[in-house]
Amino acid sequence: MIVGVAVIVAVVVATTGGGGKNKKSPTESTGRSQSPSLSLPTELPSLPSGLPSVVPSLPSELPTGLVPSDLRSLFPSLADDEVPYYMLGKGDCFNTDDAQPGQAVRRKCTQPHDAEVVKVSELNGTYTTEAALKKAASTLCEAPLERKAAAQAAGTVRGTLVQYPDTGTYGTGIDKVACSLAADVGKGTHKLTWPLK
């Protein structure tokens, strides 16, 4: 333990108006004041003798079945182009999979794909039922989808896709609605092959 000590020495000098150059007043200091002497320890205290001197090591070989090769193996993996629908943005082209609702597989818009996002909106308000959420999401998407569909060549677009959170997910703060035009909804064979106009 190191202890620091601060010593403050105050010298008060008072002078009087009358007197010669070499005359000292009775209260004026004529020499150096004496400071108390300090003594600091020259060595640190030693450690207690009961502490172990060696840190135990882990076994060099662990069973390979118990140690994952990397952190990603602990979680189900998504393909690099697979994202939750709420991470899609306007102009993103994607495929859907009925087996994984809420997921989208991004595709280049110049390659065959199921749908293209026309608008991403946010829900506001309180919704306690799936029906209320569906109605609010459909209302947000109706006008932008109609405008975009009207600008497409006949037969290009065959449906709409409105993706929105369920009540549990909405309660966690996910409020995005993806409004998309689709070639065929479901298991249709017709695909979009170019970005929408």
Side-chain angles (χ1 to χ4, degrees):
M1 181 168 93
I2 299 175
V3 178
V5 178
V7 177
I8 300 174
V9 178
V11 177
V12 178
V13 178
T15 58
T16 58
K21 286 184 179 180
N22 293 330
K23 280 183 138 183
K24 306 268 186 213
S25 71
T27 58
E28 187 176 342
S29 174
T30 57
R32 293 184 182 172
S33 64
Q34 292 188 356
S35 305
S37 65
L38 299 175
S39 90
L40 297 174
T42 57
E43 49 182 80
L44 295 174
S46 61
L47 294 174
S49 60
L51 295 176
S53 61
V54 177
V55 177
S57 62
L58 295 174
S60 60
E61 295 201 21
L62 293 173
T64 57
L66 299 177
V67 180
S69 60
D70 65 25
L71 188 57
R72 295 184 75 137
S73 67
L74 295 175
F75 302 100
S77 63
L78 299 174
D80 288 339
D81 51 0
E82 190 173 337
V83 296
Y85 85 88
Y86 54 84
M87 292 183 70
L88 294 170
K90 180 180 177 180
D92 282 347
C93 296
F94 62 96
N95 285 340
T96 60
D97 183 353
D98 291 339
Q100 294 184 320
Q103 293 297 113
V105 180
R106 284 190 174 132
R107 294 288 180 244
K108 290 183 180 179
C109 292
T110 55
Q111 296 176 342
H113 55 278
D114 294 334
E116 181 178 329
V117 179
V118 171
K119 183 175 182 175
V120 176
S121 295
E122 291 181 7
L123 290 164
N124 292 311
T126 304
Y127 305 98
T128 56
T129 66
E130 298 296 323
L133 274 168
K134 181 178 181 178
K135 182 178 180 183
S138 295
T139 300
L140 284 173
C141 292
E142 186 176 6
L145 289 177
E146 284 179 5
R147 278 192 305 273
K148 192 71 164 185
Q152 307 310 309
T156 305
V157 177
R158 297 187 178 182
T160 62
L161 181 61
V162 176
Q163 296 168 298
Y164 56 96
D166 60 19
T167 53
T169 307
Y170 183 67
T172 65
I174 296 175
D175 59 359
K176 301 279 189 229
V177 175
C179 311
S180 304
L181 289 177
D184 272 338
V185 178
K187 298 195 187 275
T189 57
H190 181 71
K191 298 279 190 178
L192 297 173
T193 56
W194 202 254
L196 298 173
K197 297 179 186 179

